[in-house]
Structure formats: C-alpha cells, structure tokens
Amino acid sequence: MFSTAVLLASTPDQLLPARELMAFTLASHILLVPFGVALPFITLLMHHRGLRRNDAVALKLARRWSAVMAVQFAIGIITGTVLSFEFGLLWPGMMGRWGDVFGLGFGVEAWAFFLEAVLIAIYLYGWRRLKPWTHFWLAVPLPLAALMGAFGIIAANSWMNTPQGFRLDAQGNPVDVDVRQAIFTPMFGPEYWHFVVAMLLTAGYVVAGVYAVGWLRGRRDRYHRLGFTVPFTVAAILTPVQFMLGDSAARAVFHKQPIKFAATEIVWKTDTHVPEYMFGRLNSDGTISGGLRIPQLDSILAGFKPSTQVTGLTSVPAADRPTAVQATIAHWAFDIMVTIGSLLILLALWYAWSWWRHRDNPRGRWFYRCAAIAGVACLVTVECGWITTEVGRQPWIVYQHMRVSDAVTDTAAGSLWAMLGIVIVVYVAVFGAFLAVVLKMRTRWRIADEGSGAASAGLPEADTPYGPRSETEPAASGHTSGGAS
Amino acid sequence: MAEFIAWVLVLAIAAYACAGGTDYGAGFWDLLAGGADRGKRPRWLIDHAMAPVWEANNVWLIFVLVIMWTGFPTMFQAVFSAMWLPLALAAVGLVLRGAGFALRKPTRRLAQRRIYGAMFAISSLVTPFFLGAVLGGIASGRVKVGTTASTDAWANATSVLVGLLAIAATAFLGAVFLCSDALRFGAHDLVDYFRVRALIAFGAVVVLALIALPVTHDDARYVWDGLTEGLGLLLIILAAVCGLATVLLLLRRSHGWTRYTSVASVALTVGAWGCAQRPYVLPTSLTVAEAAGAAHTLRWLVIVTAIAIVLVGPALVVLYRLDTMGELEELTDSDTGAVRATGDNL
C-alpha cells in the first residue's frame, strides 16, 4: 500500500504545473462537450420537425446548426485527443498501475466516439445529395453513440471516485481484475445520469439563449421563435429532472465518498445536527468565516432527519483529505452549481406556467433576458460540477488508493510550466478563432435574413433543402448565395 | 491473449498510419502548394477530399492510445515518460492541425485563411515526424521501464530517419489519394499534378529507406534483424511489391487500384515492424507477456473490440462508399442562407 505518511510538503515540484495543465485543458474541453453530446439530438429534433411538417424554417435552422456543429465537433475532437495524451504525459503513474483495471471504459468511449465521428460526417455532408429521410435516419444513431461515449468517460471517472473490481496483492499491485465491477462502480449511475442530463440541458439553454438575444434585439420572426422554443423546451423539461438527479448524486457522494461530501459541505467534525453553510470559507483550524448558516439542514439533506450523522474532514489524517483551500473551492463550486440549478427551476416553471395559461412562450422581456443568461449560467454549472468532483477527491487521483502526487510524471517542473504556457496560448487562440468564426457565420446569416426577409417571404426555399447543385467551388458559392438577397 | 491484443494494436497503428497518414499527406501538399493563386486549385481539392473523413481518420489514434493503456499499461507508462517532449509536441501539433483545417473552411478572408492554412499545413509536417520519431526511439530500444525523458530517446539517427520516413510515406499516400480524388471530382488538371508528386514522394521513401539500412544496422539491431529475415522480411518484400505496383499503375495512369496498393504497402510495413519486434513491445527489455494487463481485462478488450467492429465497421464502409461515390458534399452558403459580410474577400 502507499504510505499514508506522505506529507503534503513532500509533493514533487511538477505536481502543480501538471494539475494546472490538466485542469486548464479539461476546463476548456468540457465547454464543448455539451454540444458534442447533445447538439446532434437537438438538431435532429428540429430536422424531424422540418421534414415532417415540410417546414422550411425548421430545416434552415437544422442546416445552420449543422454548419456550426461541423466546426465545434472538430475543435471538440482535437481538445479531447489532447486529454488522452495527457493521461500519459501527466499521469503515467496512474495509467501504468491502473490502466488495465479501469481503462476499458475508455475503450468503449473510443469506439463510440469513432462511430460518432463517422455518423456526424455522414450527417454534416449528407444534406445536399442524400434523400431527405435517408439522411435523417442515418443520423438517428448519433445521439445514442454520444450516450455510449459519455458512458465510457463517466465509467472511468466514477471508477476514480469509487474504485473497485480488483484486489491488491502483497506489493500493492491490483490483481483479480473484474471488469464489470470496475465499470459499474457505486458512483457510476448517479454520475452518469447527472452528466448526460447536464449536457442536454446546457446545450438546450445555450442554443435557445442565442435566439433569446435575437428576440431581445427585436427579431421576432418565426425563425427566432422556433430556434428558441425547441431547444428551450428540451432544457426546461429536463431542469427539474436534473434537480432530482443532482440531489441523488450528492446523496450518493455522502454515502460512498464521505470525505468528499465533507469537503463540499465544509463539515469539519463528524457530528449529527450539522448545519448547512451557503458559501463561506473553511479556515485551516476548522472554523468557518462568512457564509449563510442554516442550522440542521445539512443533516436533513443528507439523511432526511436532523439526527443524521455526517462524517467530518477531521475523521481522516490531514494528508488523506482535501486542504482547507481545496475544500472551500469544492464547496463554492458545489454551491454555485446548486444555486444556478435552483434558479433554472424557476425559469422552467415560468415557461411551463406560460404554456399552461397562454399556450405560448412568455412575452416579457425579462423572461428572454433570463433565458439569454441561462445558457452561460449552465456552462458555469458544468465547470462547477466538474470542479466539485475533481477537487473534492483530492489528494487522491484514485480515491483512497493512489495520490495525485504518486501518479504524476517525472518530467521536470520547468518543462511542464513551459508546456502550460504554450497550451494556454494555443487554446486561447483556437477558442478565440472558433468563437470568431461562429459569430461571423451568424453575421452572414443575419445579413442574409434581414436582406431577403421581405423579398423571399413568399418564396419557400423550394430548391434549397435537398437535391444536387452544380456549383461546388467555394469561390462560386459565395457569389451565388449573394443573389438571394 | 496478450499476443492477440498486441496484434490488434499493430493493426490499429497500421490503420492510423494509412487513414491518418493520408490526411497528413494532404496537409503536406497543402504546405507545398505555393501562393494563394497558384495553390488555389490543389487546396480546393485537398479541402473537399479531406473534409468528410478526416475526423474519423484521426480517431484511430485515440484507439491506439486506449489499447496501449488498457492492454499494456506498463508500456504506456514507459513510452509516455521517456518520450515526453515529442509526444507533447505531437499533441500540440494535432490541435493546431485540426483547428487550422476546421477553421479555414468557414473563413472568407484571405489573410485569415492563410494563417489557418499555415497552421494546418505546418503541423501536418511536424506531427507525423514526432510520432515517427517516437516509433524510432522504441524500435531502437531507447525506451525501457523507468527511463526518464531525455533528448537522446527521440533525437537520434534512427528516430530522425523514421520521422522523415513517416513524412515521406504520408506524402506518398496523400498524393496517391488526391490523384484519385482529382479524378473523382473531375479536376483533370490536378490528376497529373498529384501523380508527379506521388512518384517523387515514393522516390523519397526509397532513398530514406536505403539510407536507413546502414544507419540503423547497429542502432536498432534487434528490429533490423527482424526486418531482414523470416516473416518480417516477407512482409517488407510484399510492401515493396505493393509500393512498386502503385508506381507502375501511376505511370500507366490507371488509378483504379492505386489507393489500395499504396495503403497495402504502408500497412504491410507497419505489420513488418510489428513482426520484427516480436516478442517485445519495447525491444529488448519488455515482452508482450510481461507488459500485458490483467487477463480478465484483455478478454473484455477483445469483446469490446469485436462489438465495436460490428458497429463501426459498417458505418465506416458506408462513409467511405458515400464519400467515393461523391454523395457527401459540404453545406454551401446558399444552403444555410448566408451572404458575404463586410471584410469578406473570398
């Protein structure tokens, strides 16, 4: 077994840059994940509507979302590939010892991702020549492949949280690996569903947010209405579901990773009748500064009654638990996530009430203002959820079996800092360029819609949805499209 | 079982060398296509030929990594510790390449296109070099369990030569495929353009291979011996035959089979290397059996792989068929209803 006497002071120099590099690349990649997982689904919903009702506006939206998806998926692929490299570049110790225990999840993910890449290519490039319904049906497995990919990743991550499916021999090496147990770990179910719904929710709110902004700027045509309503409805339906799933995930953490739960709720001593702190800061002597204290609530949330005993951070040696700063970070991340989630419930209720009473979207500007922010807020919760689970697990990379400091590469800290610098520059450039390209696409579409809005109102895009076209050269297409306005 | 997984790994590397290699090669020719005017047509072809398939082509690499860490965790750890810098640079190269390619297409300004194009093209050169250098370092026995990162691990004669060979081979594959693509898209002026380049690239491969023979004789003795006798030699000869067949077909302008023969020559070369390295995953310090992960996991890896082949195989066939039949075409501005914005000059 690993010596539990490892002092925090003895952590290697390269630990900090390695963690920062992993954190930065993952934090960047995770912003694209909702769209990789859920944008195909939302696009297919719109596509189906367009085909079923012969709705040119819906088809136009689906096509434009496809164009965005083409760029976004590419950036998602490359930032994801970087993560696979980083397992080896930053955490060779973890992969070398545990790779054969939990790596299979990645195997599932790799194939699912492969399938996704193939199907998405067919979908994105099939608009022009494939038969409409053939094109649609070829893409239907896409969301399933995305779910499969998420399955693999979450299986691996939940294994790191609640590792099982092996036995340690005398030297501390894992033997008797049982793959089924290693994939379906106790945290897998709660984490998986919480994650999948979070992805759908986020993609829905972000896409709807784009059209909410358009609505606020006075573009109140059917195009904006449809572009808002379909993704927003998906997200609104899932918001209360996510609230329940998040709650059950937190309770699963309480049972399976008590120290992580103690960190996210900044519980210092094991006790009953534990109060809940909204925000606040944990000091290294166990006192809490600031924050809103609600007596008994933490025990009630964890076990439905005030007498529930909640394990505190001090139940394990200081070297085996997150530091006060880490606990505070996890706590804030958790509280921000819960706060935003609760506010989103109100937004979803507002929407539901309006449909129940008026059979229509809410009319007020404040609703659209909130809806426009909801997408960004959702991306924040995705980051927060990830910070909660990763920082809350510290100092372990494999919960209670391997420390992050034992997994880190031997590469000199200087090289890692240099690489972090390079990666930050490259990522800022790539993400900046990505945003610029997507915004530019939007501008081109808006100019076209404003220019042709009056002229082609009575002209459905009879020739556009499907069917071959002779011009394929990029230089030519730019000019032909100009003729529409 | 470990033996079988090792062969799956070799196959996956071969698949990446062929599929990914074709893409890298296209990037190589994009780099050499000349200025904006002169290079317009070849770049147009490269864009159109690569766009639908490049993502799928590059996923092979992720699969290679997954098999490495699941099937042979100690080997994965050793390789990524010893080859830190080239692998890190290859990862950065992958990012710039993918981003450059994906962002170039929807861009309508010449200056920006140039930047993205340069990003894509230069990293198409750098990435295969570093990946090749890693393979060279492994083949020459410079990676052992516990080796820490050093320059010698990848900046040595064998590594450099394998890196250069990787570039030349990708250029060859890329040119052969673009030749057929030019035919498919009806761009007949480009058929000869890429035909000449394919022949030059093949010449470069041959020259590099001839230089490599004496240079690697002592440096990578175990693999050298494996490649010059028995099954390894047989596969190398077959690879050479396929390569020459490609050249003959190109010279005779019959492009129907060139893609298959060129892919076969690259895949057989990778297979020969796999053969030559037997029974080691890291010559000559770590055998397949020693490096293998838990037996139960390997069994499951086979099952997962089998299921995946059943699922992905048909999808991949559909993709390549639709692509070669010309059914896949990207959305144009008129499809999405876009017009020129201020500043667009393309």
Side-chain angles (χ1 to χ4, degrees), chain A residues 121-364:
Chain A
I122 294 176
Y123 185 63
L124 296 180
Y125 294 92
W127 279 103
R128 286 175 67 98
R129 289 187 187 267
L130 294 177
K131 287 200 195 90
W133 281 104
T134 313
H135 179 219
F136 175 82
W137 284 111
L138 277 173
V140 165
L142 245 181
L144 299 176
L147 286 185
M148 243 356 244
F151 171 93
I153 294 291
I154 298 299
N157 186 267
S158 62
W159 182 87
M160 287 161 68
N161 283 319
T162 45
Q164 63 170 34
F166 59 92
R167 194 171 58 74
L168 293 176
D169 66 6
Q171 286 84 45
N173 289 315
V175 289
D176 294 342
V177 175
D178 182 332
V179 166
R180 253 171 303 183
Q181 272 200 22
I183 285 187
F184 296 99
T185 59
M187 275 314 289
F188 174 73
E191 210 183 320
Y192 180 67
W193 293 113
H194 186 54
F195 175 83
V196 167
V197 175
M199 296 302 107
L200 280 164
L201 198 71
T202 307
Y205 278 130
V206 172
V207 175
V210 172
Y211 298 92
V213 171
W215 189 269
L216 285 170
R217 291 184 181 165
R219 289 187 271 281
R220 306 199 170 174
D221 45 9
R222 178 143 182 285
Y223 172 80
H224 280 82
R225 183 186 156 79
L226 204 57
F228 177 83
T229 308
V230 170
F232 196 88
T233 307
V234 171
I237 291 172
L238 289 174
T239 305
V241 176
Q242 179 69 333
F243 202 77
M244 310 293 285
L245 288 170
D247 183 58
S248 90
R251 209 162 293 115
V253 171
F254 168 69
H255 289 295
K256 304 296 177 191
Q257 293 180 278
I259 302 302
K260 181 192 270 187
F261 187 80
T264 54
E265 299 285 15
I266 46 174
V267 180
W268 188 249
K269 284 203 184 72
T270 306
D271 205 352
T272 57
H273 304 276
V274 178
E276 168 86 17
Y277 280 92
M278 292 290 288
F279 301 98
R281 190 185 55 176
L282 179 68
N283 301 311
S284 47
D285 60 358
T287 55
I288 291 167
S289 330
L292 178 65
R293 182 175 186 274
I294 307 168
Q296 315 260 14
L297 185 63
D298 196 40
S299 286
I300 296 174
L301 287 175
F304 305 112
K305 52 179 190 287
S307 58
T308 309
Q309 176 169 311
V310 179
T311 309
L313 285 166
T314 49
S315 63
V316 292
D320 292 351
R321 64 177 191 234
T323 62
V325 174
Q326 286 166 344
T328 304
I329 293 174
H331 176 63
W332 272 72
F334 182 73
D335 279 7
I336 293 172
M337 172 171 71
V338 172
T339 309
I340 294 177
S342 312
L343 293 175
L344 288 175
I345 292 253
L346 295 180
L347 188 67
L349 285 176
W350 189 348
Y351 186 69
W353 188 79
S354 173
W355 270 95
W356 181 51
R357 301 294 299 180
H358 307 300
R359 301 266 133 219
D360 198 1
N361 289 345
R363 299 231 175 77

Side-chain angles (χ1 to χ4, degrees), chain A residues 21 60 63-64 66-67 70-71 73-75 77-82 84-90 92-93 95-101 103-104 106-111 113-115 117-122 124-130 138 177-180 409-411 415-416 419 422-423 426-427 430 433-434 437 440-441 443-445 447-449 461 464-465 469 471-475 477-482 485, chain B residues 40-41 44 48 51-63 65-66 69-71 73-74 76-78 80-81 83-85 87-92 94-100 102-103 105-109 113 116 119 131 146 148-149 292-298 300-302 304-305 308-309 311-312 315-316 318-319 322 326-344 346:
Chain A
L21 185 51
K60 188 197 228 177
R63 274 198 304 277
R64 287 181 175 180
S66 292
V71 188
F73 193 71
I75 307 289
I77 281 202
I78 54 177
T79 51
T81 310
V82 167
S84 337
F85 269 83
E86 281 179 342
F87 284 125
L89 293 173
L90 303 178
M95 301 319 284
R97 183 183 289 263
W98 304 103
D100 56 339
V101 185
L104 198 74
F106 290 111
V108 174
E109 189 269 346
W111 281 116
F113 194 54
F114 207 143
L115 196 59
V118 170
L119 291 171
I120 214 162
I122 294 176
L124 296 180
Y125 294 92
W127 279 103
R128 286 175 67 98
R129 289 187 187 267
L130 294 177
L138 277 173
V177 175
D178 182 332
V179 166
R180 253 171 303 183
T409 176
D410 288 327
T411 306
S415 316
L416 289 171
M419 189 51 70
I422 294 172
V423 166
V426 167
Y427 270 45
V430 166
F434 166 64
V437 161
K440 198 79 197 172
M441 284 173 158
T443 308
R444 286 200 198 94
W445 292 332
I447 295 174
D449 288 353
E461 306 180 348
T464 322
R469 210 158 291 110
E471 295 290 355
T472 47
E473 289 219 36
S477 61
H479 296 296
T480 48
S481 62
S485 54
Chain B
K40 191 176 172 191
R41 297 261 311 147
W44 163 80
H48 273 249
V53 289
W54 79 270
E55 280 156 345
N57 284 349
N58 278 284
V59 181
W60 284 110
L61 178 61
I62 297 180
F63 189 57
L65 296 179
V66 170
W69 75 52
T70 312
T74 37
F76 179 78
Q77 179 176 9
F80 271 77
S81 300
M83 295 294 183
W84 199 85
L85 192 60
L87 286 169
L89 292 175
V92 173
L94 283 167
V95 171
L96 291 176
R97 201 181 109 79
L103 294 172
K105 254 184 308 156
T107 304
R108 297 281 177 272
R109 284 191 200 188
R113 265 187 176 236
Y116 295 139
M119 242 163 83
L131 292 177
T148 48
H296 187 78
T297 307
L298 295 189
W300 273 94
L301 194 54
V302 173
V304 168
T305 309
I309 290 172
L311 287 177
V312 179
L316 206 57
V318 170
L319 174 67
L322 288 177
E327 292 282 320
L328 299 183
E329 237 180 59
E330 80 185 277
L331 283 167
T332 62
D333 283 352
S334 53
D335 292 312
T336 55
V339 292
R340 292 162 68 98
T342 44
D344 291 359
L346 280 175

Side-chain angles (χ1 to χ4, degrees), chain B residues 141-157:
Chain B
R142 284 182 167 82
V143 182
K144 296 183 177 64
V145 173
T147 310
T148 48
S150 69
T151 322
D152 173 65
W154 61 279
N156 56 76

Side-chain angles (χ1 to χ4, degrees), chain B residues 53-307:
Chain B
V53 289
W54 79 270
E55 280 156 345
N57 284 349
N58 278 284
V59 181
W60 284 110
L61 178 61
I62 297 180
F63 189 57
V64 170
L65 296 179
V66 170
I67 299 181
M68 270 171 79
W69 75 52
T70 312
F72 307 100
T74 37
M75 183 262 276
F76 179 78
Q77 179 176 9
V79 170
F80 271 77
S81 300
M83 295 294 183
W84 199 85
L85 192 60
L87 286 169
L89 292 175
V92 173
L94 283 167
V95 171
L96 291 176
R97 201 181 109 79
F101 184 73
L103 294 172
R104 177 167 73 169
K105 254 184 308 156
T107 304
R108 297 281 177 272
R109 284 191 200 188
L110 185 60
Q112 287 174 353
R113 265 187 176 236
R114 278 208 179 110
I115 295 174
Y116 295 139
M119 242 163 83
F120 159 65
I122 292 172
S123 44
S124 292
L125 194 74
V126 170
T127 312
F129 175 80
F130 283 123
L131 292 177
V134 169
L135 280 191
I138 293 173
S140 56
R142 284 182 167 82
V143 182
K144 296 183 177 64
V145 173
T147 310
T148 48
S150 69
T151 322
D152 173 65
W154 61 279
N156 56 76
T158 308
S159 284
V160 170
L161 271 169
V162 177
L164 292 177
L165 259 173
I167 294 177
T170 58
F172 170 61
L173 277 177
V176 169
F177 271 70
L178 286 168
C179 214
S180 305
D181 289 326
L183 213 60
R184 169 158 73 85
F185 285 114
H188 294 284
D189 52 322
L190 290 175
V191 176
D192 270 346
Y193 177 95
F194 283 114
R195 197 172 69 102
V196 175
R197 280 159 178 75
L199 294 174
I200 294 172
F202 186 77
V205 172
V206 171
V207 169
L208 284 168
L210 289 179
I211 297 174
L213 269 180
V215 172
T216 59
H217 179 256
D218 293 324
D219 198 34
R221 191 57 198 259
Y222 188 82
V223 174
W224 199 93
D225 286 344
L227 286 175
T228 49
E229 62 189 32
L231 196 54
L233 181 63
L234 177 69
L235 290 178
I236 280 288
I237 291 173
L238 284 176
V241 169
C242 287
L244 287 172
T246 315
V247 169
L248 279 178
L249 289 171
L250 283 173
L251 287 174
R252 294 186 50 200
R253 294 173 197 279
S254 52
H255 297 286
W257 285 89
T258 49
R259 276 180 298 179
Y260 303 104
T261 49
S262 62
V263 159
S265 72
V266 171
L268 285 166
T269 310
V270 174
W273 159 72
C275 254
Q277 234 181 255
R278 278 179 312 166
Y280 295 105
V281 277
L282 296 177
T284 49
S285 59
L286 188 70
T287 63
V288 169
E290 287 164 356
H296 187 78
T297 307
L298 295 189
R299 224 171 14 250
W300 273 94
L301 194 54
V302 173
I303 295 171
V304 168
T305 309
I307 295 172

